[in-house]
Amino acid sequence: MKNDRTNHKDPVVLLVEDDASDVRLIEVALRRTPGSIQLMRVEDGDLACDYLSGKTPYSDREEYPLPITMILDIKLPKRSGLEVLQWLRSQREPIRLLPTLMLTSSTHRKDVNTAFENGANAYLSKPENIKDLAAMLAEFKNFWLGRMEFPDLGAPEKRGVQD
Amino acid sequence: MSSNSAMLQSEDVYRRLVETVRDYAIFLLTPVGNIASWNPGAKRLKQYSVDEIIGKHFSIFYPEYDIANGKPPMELREAAAEGRYVDEGWRVRKDGTRFWANVTITAIRHEAGELIGFGNITRDLTDRRDAELRYRLLVEGVTDYAIFSLDPTGKVTSWNSGAQRIKGYTADEIVGEHFSRFYTPEDAAGGLPARVLNTAFTSGHYEGEGWRVRKDGSLFWASVVVTPLRDERGELIGFSKITRDVTERKRLLDKIQHHAQELELRIAEREQVNTELEAFSYSVSHDLRAPLRAIEGFTDIVLTDFGKELSPQVIELLQQVVQSTTRMNRLVQDLLNYSRLTRIEMEPAPIGMASAIRDASMQIEEGLRKHISVSVDRSLRVLAHPPTLIQVLINLIRNGLKFYPHGATPKVEISARLEGRRIVIAVRDEGIGIAPQHQQRIFKVFERLHTAAEYPGTGIGLAIVHRGITKMGGTVRLESTPGKGSTFYIDLAAA
């Protein structure tokens, strides 16, 4: 689950994505762009909630560190991405403030509107090809991880992207 | 005062009173029936002068059949015996014409009781009788309505021909029977007949519709009005009931209602189909494209990360794979756009043509944008669904820019003009043109005139143009000469 090429100083990003191919493509696209991150991945909505609330098997924060941001698909097994958002924003812990980026193939107006209503911080649709995906993730690293100010999430302080 | 009252009691005054009455024939008869006095009213009514009539027998006023039956002497006998005899019947004037008379014959006796003669007061009631007769004939003659009356307990007291026609009973059969037999056994058992009379009695009126039973047991749908009948003192003497057979209307209404329900059902079904279609296209956009991303992405990874290890032939084949996924992606996107055009409700809104064309041009690849020229008056506004209009314009511009001989510089001109209450937009190119036999085909989905190698495309662009414009209430027209170019005309309502 952990990317061995990253070290503990890299910012932790939780990727919630059920499609193994998409995960591979995102990993490759992230590798092709400057700046390394520690990408943690879960494959359905329930596991995303378990991870964020530190439930078994995610109770060890050394092994499963709290992320500073989440990349969330909408169409997921068990709990949908929109439901994960709803759950997240209703939590008591500071984790409820977790900046969340929707990355999905749906451009359905209803999905976009509901995502923002439920507290998404950004919404991107999956590009058709890996070059565009890499370009998009490069911008994400630059802007989101590089320039954005993060709220206090009750986790270790944000660590900058390492070039 | 007392002398006045004495004067009024004098016989002379009575005589004068009688002599001035004109609306009543008042005359005296001797005990055997000879006429002894004659007032002006009598003269007016019966046309005889005093000289002509005094001394004649009063049977002269009766029709022959009354005389044959001995009616005049009978009347005198009755009056003598009872003190008074009242009759209504035909009487004859001097000229032989008849009138309907109300006659009161009073016996006049001495104080000792000896019969002196008779007083006769006759009134002409012909007009009233005619009116009553006309009314009765009217009611009886009405066949479309059952008009009948009930006594206060609900027993039938009169019956017209309409009632006979609608309900099947003759007057002889039904008069005296209780009207509850017109109701279905359930309604009768449920007390509806009594409620009908009670409502009419308390509120002065009852109106209703329902199933009623004919004599032969068949049912008809009746529209019923019941009104209470009261005498001069306000005492209830019965009810009038007017019933119409509106079975046909009821059947028609039921039919209409049935159709309406069916229509609602169909609309609901269509909405269901629409919802399913929406779910389908949602799933297509989401699920169909995921494997495409994977094919494209992994092929790209092989090419990028392992390209050095591959032969040029393998690299070329893998590049074909990437191109195919691009085409497939566009196809899916175009199909989604096309099917969305069918489903969405298009709320027309006023939109400036110049700005719509500008928005469309911005969607064209930057390198090609300079080949578009626009001459459109800023004041021209159409009624259209803006995203659809812009999509249509994009497709027409792309189409115009695409179909040029290879190597030639494409050129597309867009113009618009007001024609009556319509705005006609022309998109002109100087490309390869379209042969007349293909000019209708190109607007159909998946129709292509060229191979993908010659001119890439999905065969959906112009189908979107056609469906989009049609859905917005406009038309699409094409003028084209092979080798010279094409002009697409679309027209829409001016805003």
Side-chain angles (χ1 to χ4, degrees), chain B residues 250-282:
Chain B
K250 165 82 175 158
R251 287 222 176 95
L252 222 65
L253 274 175
D254 285 353
K255 222 174 176 179
I256 289 167
Q257 210 159 28
H258 180 73
H259 283 319
Q261 275 169 358
E262 213 163 73
L263 208 65
E264 267 171 39
L265 205 71
R266 274 194 209 159
I267 289 167
E269 271 170 13
R270 221 190 70 178
E271 273 167 10
Q272 170 79 18
V273 167
N274 263 348
T275 313
E276 277 167 15
L277 258 176
E278 199 146 333
F280 173 74
S281 60
Y282 179 87

mmCIF file of all heavy atoms in Angstrom, chain B residues 250-282:
data_model
loop_
_atom_site.group_PDB
_atom_site.id
_atom_site.type_symbol
_atom_site.label_atom_id
_atom_site.label_comp_id
_atom_site.label_asym_id
_atom_site.label_seq_id
_atom_site.Cartn_x
_atom_site.Cartn_y
_atom_site.Cartn_z
ATOM 1 N N LYS B 250 -71.905 9.950 -19.583
ATOM 2 C CA LYS B 250 -71.120 9.287 -18.529
ATOM 3 C C LYS B 250 -70.081 8.356 -19.147
ATOM 4 O O LYS B 250 -68.921 8.354 -18.748
ATOM 5 C CB LYS B 250 -72.088 8.525 -17.619
ATOM 6 C CG LYS B 250 -71.451 7.508 -16.715
ATOM 7 C CD LYS B 250 -70.884 8.146 -15.460
ATOM 8 C CE LYS B 250 -70.357 7.070 -14.510
ATOM 9 N NZ LYS B 250 -69.374 7.643 -13.600
ATOM 10 N N ARG B 251 -70.530 7.577 -20.166
ATOM 11 C CA ARG B 251 -69.600 6.652 -20.821
ATOM 12 C C ARG B 251 -68.449 7.421 -21.447
ATOM 13 O O ARG B 251 -67.298 7.050 -21.340
ATOM 14 C CB ARG B 251 -70.320 5.878 -21.929
ATOM 15 C CG ARG B 251 -71.248 4.837 -21.372
ATOM 16 C CD ARG B 251 -71.193 3.522 -22.134
ATOM 17 N NE ARG B 251 -72.049 2.551 -21.465
ATOM 18 C CZ ARG B 251 -73.302 2.323 -21.820
ATOM 19 N NH1 ARG B 251 -73.841 2.964 -22.843
ATOM 20 N NH2 ARG B 251 -74.022 1.450 -21.162
ATOM 21 N N LEU B 252 -68.820 8.558 -22.096
ATOM 22 C CA LEU B 252 -67.815 9.382 -22.755
ATOM 23 C C LEU B 252 -66.820 9.936 -21.742
ATOM 24 O O LEU B 252 -65.608 9.902 -21.944
ATOM 25 C CB LEU B 252 -68.522 10.537 -23.478
ATOM 26 C CG LEU B 252 -67.997 10.864 -24.871
ATOM 27 C CD1 LEU B 252 -68.261 9.700 -25.812
ATOM 28 C CD2 LEU B 252 -68.647 12.132 -25.376
ATOM 29 N N LEU B 253 -67.396 10.437 -20.630
ATOM 30 C CA LEU B 253 -66.539 10.997 -19.579
ATOM 31 C C LEU B 253 -65.622 9.928 -19.016
ATOM 32 O O LEU B 253 -64.433 10.163 -18.807
ATOM 33 C CB LEU B 253 -67.409 11.576 -18.458
ATOM 34 C CG LEU B 253 -67.860 13.009 -18.660
ATOM 35 C CD1 LEU B 253 -68.808 13.425 -17.547
ATOM 36 C CD2 LEU B 253 -66.661 13.958 -18.688
ATOM 37 N N ASP B 254 -66.219 8.726 -18.786
ATOM 38 C CA ASP B 254 -65.403 7.623 -18.272
ATOM 39 C C ASP B 254 -64.277 7.299 -19.232
ATOM 40 O O ASP B 254 -63.147 7.050 -18.834
ATOM 41 C CB ASP B 254 -66.277 6.381 -18.046
ATOM 42 C CG ASP B 254 -67.146 6.524 -16.808
ATOM 43 O OD1 ASP B 254 -66.953 7.514 -16.077
ATOM 44 O OD2 ASP B 254 -68.015 5.655 -16.582
ATOM 45 N N LYS B 255 -64.644 7.337 -20.518
ATOM 46 C CA LYS B 255 -63.658 7.031 -21.547
ATOM 47 C C LYS B 255 -62.536 8.065 -21.527
ATOM 48 O O LYS B 255 -61.358 7.723 -21.590
ATOM 49 C CB LYS B 255 -64.353 7.054 -22.917
ATOM 50 C CG LYS B 255 -63.940 5.930 -23.835
ATOM 51 C CD LYS B 255 -64.817 5.992 -25.076
ATOM 52 C CE LYS B 255 -64.439 4.991 -26.115
ATOM 53 N NZ LYS B 255 -65.334 5.082 -27.275
ATOM 54 N N ILE B 256 -62.950 9.331 -21.446
ATOM 55 C CA ILE B 256 -61.957 10.407 -21.417
ATOM 56 C C ILE B 256 -61.051 10.253 -20.199
ATOM 57 O O ILE B 256 -59.836 10.365 -20.285
ATOM 58 C CB ILE B 256 -62.655 11.784 -21.412
ATOM 59 C CG1 ILE B 256 -63.280 12.054 -22.782
ATOM 60 C CG2 ILE B 256 -61.689 12.885 -21.053
ATOM 61 C CD1 ILE B 256 -64.245 13.213 -22.796
ATOM 62 N N GLN B 257 -61.718 9.934 -19.065
ATOM 63 C CA GLN B 257 -60.958 9.764 -17.836
ATOM 64 C C GLN B 257 -59.967 8.609 -17.985
ATOM 65 O O GLN B 257 -58.819 8.704 -17.580
ATOM 66 C CB GLN B 257 -61.932 9.470 -16.702
ATOM 67 C CG GLN B 257 -61.447 9.973 -15.363
ATOM 68 C CD GLN B 257 -62.620 10.127 -14.410
ATOM 69 O OE1 GLN B 257 -63.621 9.432 -14.538
ATOM 70 N NE2 GLN B 257 -62.489 11.012 -13.449
ATOM 71 N N HIS B 258 -60.469 7.540 -18.601
ATOM 72 C CA HIS B 258 -59.634 6.371 -18.818
ATOM 73 C C HIS B 258 -58.426 6.739 -19.675
ATOM 74 O O HIS B 258 -57.287 6.392 -19.362
ATOM 75 C CB HIS B 258 -60.473 5.294 -19.497
ATOM 76 C CG HIS B 258 -59.725 4.030 -19.775
ATOM 77 N ND1 HIS B 258 -59.383 3.147 -18.791
ATOM 78 C CD2 HIS B 258 -59.227 3.525 -20.942
ATOM 79 C CE1 HIS B 258 -58.710 2.134 -19.330
ATOM 80 N NE2 HIS B 258 -58.609 2.334 -20.625
ATOM 81 N N HIS B 259 -58.716 7.501 -20.766
ATOM 82 C CA HIS B 259 -57.628 7.927 -21.645
ATOM 83 C C HIS B 259 -56.638 8.800 -20.904
ATOM 84 O O HIS B 259 -55.431 8.678 -21.078
ATOM 85 C CB HIS B 259 -58.194 8.683 -22.847
ATOM 86 C CG HIS B 259 -58.797 7.781 -23.881
ATOM 87 N ND1 HIS B 259 -58.221 6.604 -24.244
ATOM 88 C CD2 HIS B 259 -59.933 7.886 -24.609
ATOM 89 C CE1 HIS B 259 -58.965 6.008 -25.162
ATOM 90 N NE2 HIS B 259 -60.027 6.765 -25.391
ATOM 91 N N ALA B 260 -57.189 9.696 -20.074
ATOM 92 C CA ALA B 260 -56.320 10.609 -19.324
ATOM 93 C C ALA B 260 -55.401 9.814 -18.402
ATOM 94 O O ALA B 260 -54.205 10.105 -18.298
ATOM 95 C CB ALA B 260 -57.166 11.597 -18.528
ATOM 96 N N GLN B 261 -56.003 8.786 -17.761
ATOM 97 C CA GLN B 261 -55.185 7.974 -16.862
ATOM 98 C C GLN B 261 -54.102 7.235 -17.634
ATOM 99 O O GLN B 261 -52.953 7.162 -17.204
ATOM 100 C CB GLN B 261 -56.067 6.959 -16.134
ATOM 101 C CG GLN B 261 -56.720 7.543 -14.892
ATOM 102 C CD GLN B 261 -57.781 6.632 -14.326
ATOM 103 O OE1 GLN B 261 -58.063 5.580 -14.883
ATOM 104 N NE2 GLN B 261 -58.355 7.032 -13.200
ATOM 105 N N GLU B 262 -54.514 6.726 -18.799
ATOM 106 C CA GLU B 262 -53.554 5.992 -19.619
ATOM 107 C C GLU B 262 -52.411 6.905 -20.041
ATOM 108 O O GLU B 262 -51.249 6.518 -20.029
ATOM 109 C CB GLU B 262 -54.275 5.458 -20.848
ATOM 110 C CG GLU B 262 -53.713 4.140 -21.323
ATOM 111 C CD GLU B 262 -54.692 3.459 -22.258
ATOM 112 O OE1 GLU B 262 -54.814 3.945 -23.398
ATOM 113 O OE2 GLU B 262 -55.334 2.494 -21.849
ATOM 114 N N LEU B 263 -52.822 8.144 -20.390
ATOM 115 C CA LEU B 263 -51.826 9.131 -20.817
ATOM 116 C C LEU B 263 -50.841 9.414 -19.691
ATOM 117 O O LEU B 263 -49.628 9.455 -19.893
ATOM 118 C CB LEU B 263 -52.551 10.415 -21.223
ATOM 119 C CG LEU B 263 -51.850 11.265 -22.275
ATOM 120 C CD1 LEU B 263 -51.781 10.526 -23.591
ATOM 121 C CD2 LEU B 263 -52.584 12.578 -22.448
ATOM 122 N N GLU B 264 -51.422 9.598 -18.479
ATOM 123 C CA GLU B 264 -50.557 9.855 -17.330
ATOM 124 C C GLU B 264 -49.588 8.703 -17.116
ATOM 125 O O GLU B 264 -48.419 8.907 -16.824
ATOM 126 C CB GLU B 264 -51.419 10.045 -16.072
ATOM 127 C CG GLU B 264 -51.765 11.490 -15.800
ATOM 128 C CD GLU B 264 -52.787 11.628 -14.699
ATOM 129 O OE1 GLU B 264 -52.700 10.873 -13.721
ATOM 130 O OE2 GLU B 264 -53.670 12.489 -14.832
ATOM 131 N N LEU B 265 -50.140 7.496 -17.292
ATOM 132 C CA LEU B 265 -49.314 6.306 -17.112
ATOM 133 C C LEU B 265 -48.172 6.309 -18.125
ATOM 134 O O LEU B 265 -47.024 6.020 -17.801
ATOM 135 C CB LEU B 265 -50.190 5.066 -17.307
ATOM 136 C CG LEU B 265 -49.705 3.815 -16.613
ATOM 137 C CD1 LEU B 265 -49.890 3.946 -15.108
ATOM 138 C CD2 LEU B 265 -50.462 2.597 -17.119
ATOM 139 N N ARG B 266 -48.545 6.676 -19.384
ATOM 140 C CA ARG B 266 -47.521 6.668 -20.429
ATOM 141 C C ARG B 266 -46.460 7.710 -20.163
ATOM 142 O O ARG B 266 -45.284 7.490 -20.391
ATOM 143 C CB ARG B 266 -48.172 6.924 -21.785
ATOM 144 C CG ARG B 266 -48.650 5.634 -22.363
ATOM 145 C CD ARG B 266 -48.999 5.761 -23.815
ATOM 146 N NE ARG B 266 -50.032 4.794 -24.114
ATOM 147 C CZ ARG B 266 -50.845 4.887 -25.146
ATOM 148 N NH1 ARG B 266 -50.743 5.902 -25.961
ATOM 149 N NH2 ARG B 266 -51.757 3.978 -25.356
ATOM 150 N N ILE B 267 -46.930 8.888 -19.668
ATOM 151 C CA ILE B 267 -45.960 9.946 -19.350
ATOM 152 C C ILE B 267 -45.024 9.462 -18.255
ATOM 153 O O ILE B 267 -43.808 9.631 -18.326
ATOM 154 C CB ILE B 267 -46.689 11.238 -18.937
ATOM 155 C CG1 ILE B 267 -47.352 11.864 -20.174
ATOM 156 C CG2 ILE B 267 -45.731 12.231 -18.312
ATOM 157 C CD1 ILE B 267 -48.351 12.952 -19.855
ATOM 158 N N ALA B 268 -45.626 8.793 -17.250
ATOM 159 C CA ALA B 268 -44.809 8.271 -16.156
ATOM 160 C C ALA B 268 -43.814 7.246 -16.685
ATOM 161 O O ALA B 268 -42.645 7.241 -16.301
ATOM 162 C CB ALA B 268 -45.709 7.645 -15.087
ATOM 163 N N GLU B 269 -44.314 6.390 -17.620
ATOM 164 C CA GLU B 269 -43.425 5.392 -18.210
ATOM 165 C C GLU B 269 -42.290 6.059 -18.963
ATOM 166 O O GLU B 269 -41.145 5.641 -18.887
ATOM 167 C CB GLU B 269 -44.209 4.495 -19.174
ATOM 168 C CG GLU B 269 -44.822 3.294 -18.493
ATOM 169 C CD GLU B 269 -45.786 2.568 -19.414
ATOM 170 O OE1 GLU B 269 -45.786 2.841 -20.637
ATOM 171 O OE2 GLU B 269 -46.558 1.731 -18.905
ATOM 172 N N ARG B 270 -42.660 7.130 -19.705
ATOM 173 C CA ARG B 270 -41.636 7.821 -20.485
ATOM 174 C C ARG B 270 -40.611 8.455 -19.568
ATOM 175 O O ARG B 270 -39.416 8.425 -19.833
ATOM 176 C CB ARG B 270 -42.282 8.881 -21.382
ATOM 177 C CG ARG B 270 -41.653 8.914 -22.755
ATOM 178 C CD ARG B 270 -42.125 10.104 -23.554
ATOM 179 N NE ARG B 270 -41.580 11.334 -23.008
ATOM 180 C CZ ARG B 270 -41.806 12.513 -23.533
ATOM 181 N NH1 ARG B 270 -42.553 12.624 -24.578
ATOM 182 N NH2 ARG B 270 -41.290 13.582 -23.004
ATOM 183 N N GLU B 271 -41.123 9.011 -18.450
ATOM 184 C CA GLU B 271 -40.190 9.598 -17.496
ATOM 185 C C GLU B 271 -39.266 8.535 -16.936
ATOM 186 O O GLU B 271 -38.079 8.766 -16.740
ATOM 187 C CB GLU B 271 -40.963 10.294 -16.375
ATOM 188 C CG GLU B 271 -41.300 11.733 -16.752
ATOM 189 C CD GLU B 271 -42.320 12.358 -15.832
ATOM 190 O OE1 GLU B 271 -42.625 11.750 -14.793
ATOM 191 O OE2 GLU B 271 -42.796 13.455 -16.163
ATOM 192 N N GLN B 272 -39.871 7.359 -16.723
ATOM 193 C CA GLN B 272 -39.083 6.231 -16.227
ATOM 194 C C GLN B 272 -38.001 5.876 -17.241
ATOM 195 O O GLN B 272 -36.836 5.704 -16.888
ATOM 196 C CB GLN B 272 -40.027 5.039 -15.995
ATOM 197 C CG GLN B 272 -39.347 3.729 -15.701
ATOM 198 C CD GLN B 272 -38.887 3.650 -14.262
ATOM 199 O OE1 GLN B 272 -39.356 4.418 -13.431
ATOM 200 N NE2 GLN B 272 -37.975 2.759 -13.987
ATOM 201 N N VAL B 273 -38.424 5.798 -18.535
ATOM 202 C CA VAL B 273 -37.468 5.479 -19.585
ATOM 203 C C VAL B 273 -36.374 6.535 -19.635
ATOM 204 O O VAL B 273 -35.190 6.229 -19.763
ATOM 205 C CB VAL B 273 -38.189 5.372 -20.945
ATOM 206 C CG1 VAL B 273 -37.183 5.354 -22.082
ATOM 207 C CG2 VAL B 273 -39.060 4.124 -20.990
ATOM 208 N N ASN B 274 -36.792 7.805 -19.514
ATOM 209 C CA ASN B 274 -35.813 8.897 -19.528
ATOM 210 C C ASN B 274 -34.822 8.761 -18.393
ATOM 211 O O ASN B 274 -33.628 8.979 -18.573
ATOM 212 C CB ASN B 274 -36.536 10.239 -19.431
ATOM 213 C CG ASN B 274 -36.735 10.857 -20.796
ATOM 214 O OD1 ASN B 274 -36.149 10.397 -21.774
ATOM 215 N ND2 ASN B 274 -37.549 11.888 -20.873
ATOM 216 N N THR B 275 -35.354 8.431 -17.197
ATOM 217 C CA THR B 275 -34.476 8.278 -16.042
ATOM 218 C C THR B 275 -33.492 7.140 -16.284
ATOM 219 O O THR B 275 -32.302 7.259 -15.991
ATOM 220 C CB THR B 275 -35.320 7.970 -14.785
ATOM 221 O OG1 THR B 275 -36.393 8.892 -14.744
ATOM 222 C CG2 THR B 275 -34.490 8.089 -13.533
ATOM 223 N N GLU B 276 -34.027 6.039 -16.868
ATOM 224 C CA GLU B 276 -33.149 4.912 -17.151
ATOM 225 C C GLU B 276 -32.091 5.276 -18.183
ATOM 226 O O GLU B 276 -30.931 4.915 -18.056
ATOM 227 C CB GLU B 276 -33.972 3.720 -17.642
ATOM 228 C CG GLU B 276 -34.562 2.932 -16.499
ATOM 229 C CD GLU B 276 -35.621 1.947 -16.955
ATOM 230 O OE1 GLU B 276 -35.693 1.666 -18.167
ATOM 231 O OE2 GLU B 276 -36.370 1.468 -16.087
ATOM 232 N N LEU B 277 -32.534 6.031 -19.221
ATOM 233 C CA LEU B 277 -31.592 6.464 -20.250
ATOM 234 C C LEU B 277 -30.496 7.313 -19.640
ATOM 235 O O LEU B 277 -29.322 7.200 -19.981
ATOM 236 C CB LEU B 277 -32.331 7.290 -21.306
ATOM 237 C CG LEU B 277 -32.661 6.574 -22.600
ATOM 238 C CD1 LEU B 277 -33.474 7.485 -23.499
ATOM 239 C CD2 LEU B 277 -31.377 6.162 -23.301
ATOM 240 N N GLU B 278 -30.914 8.179 -18.717
ATOM 241 C CA GLU B 278 -29.960 9.073 -18.074
ATOM 242 C C GLU B 278 -28.954 8.250 -17.268
ATOM 243 O O GLU B 278 -27.746 8.484 -17.343
ATOM 244 C CB GLU B 278 -30.710 10.045 -17.163
ATOM 245 C CG GLU B 278 -29.891 11.250 -16.830
ATOM 246 C CD GLU B 278 -30.763 12.493 -16.693
ATOM 247 O OE1 GLU B 278 -31.838 12.547 -17.320
ATOM 248 O OE2 GLU B 278 -30.363 13.371 -15.953
ATOM 249 N N ALA B 279 -29.501 7.263 -16.528
ATOM 250 C CA ALA B 279 -28.619 6.388 -15.751
ATOM 251 C C ALA B 279 -27.685 5.640 -16.690
ATOM 252 O O ALA B 279 -26.500 5.475 -16.399
ATOM 253 C CB ALA B 279 -29.456 5.407 -14.936
ATOM 254 N N PHE B 280 -28.248 5.236 -17.847
ATOM 255 C CA PHE B 280 -27.446 4.500 -18.823
ATOM 256 C C PHE B 280 -26.301 5.364 -19.350
ATOM 257 O O PHE B 280 -25.147 4.953 -19.364
ATOM 258 C CB PHE B 280 -28.348 4.044 -19.971
ATOM 259 C CG PHE B 280 -27.622 3.431 -21.125
ATOM 260 C CD1 PHE B 280 -27.102 2.158 -21.030
ATOM 261 C CD2 PHE B 280 -27.451 4.140 -22.305
ATOM 262 C CE1 PHE B 280 -26.423 1.587 -22.092
ATOM 263 C CE2 PHE B 280 -26.773 3.576 -23.371
ATOM 264 C CZ PHE B 280 -26.256 2.295 -23.267
ATOM 265 N N SER B 281 -26.637 6.592 -19.768
ATOM 266 C CA SER B 281 -25.588 7.416 -20.359
ATOM 267 C C SER B 281 -24.575 7.844 -19.294
ATOM 268 O O SER B 281 -23.394 8.007 -19.566
ATOM 269 C CB SER B 281 -26.187 8.638 -21.061
ATOM 270 O OG SER B 281 -26.896 9.405 -20.138
ATOM 271 N N TYR B 282 -25.081 7.984 -18.056
ATOM 272 C CA TYR B 282 -24.176 8.299 -16.961
ATOM 273 C C TYR B 282 -23.162 7.170 -16.806
ATOM 274 O O TYR B 282 -21.962 7.386 -16.725
ATOM 275 C CB TYR B 282 -24.988 8.455 -15.677
ATOM 276 C CG TYR B 282 -24.182 8.757 -14.441
ATOM 277 C CD1 TYR B 282 -23.869 10.073 -14.113
ATOM 278 C CD2 TYR B 282 -23.743 7.731 -13.610
ATOM 279 C CE1 TYR B 282 -23.135 10.349 -12.979
ATOM 280 C CE2 TYR B 282 -23.007 8.007 -12.479
ATOM 281 C CZ TYR B 282 -22.698 9.319 -12.152
ATOM 282 O OH TYR B 282 -21.972 9.585 -11.042
#
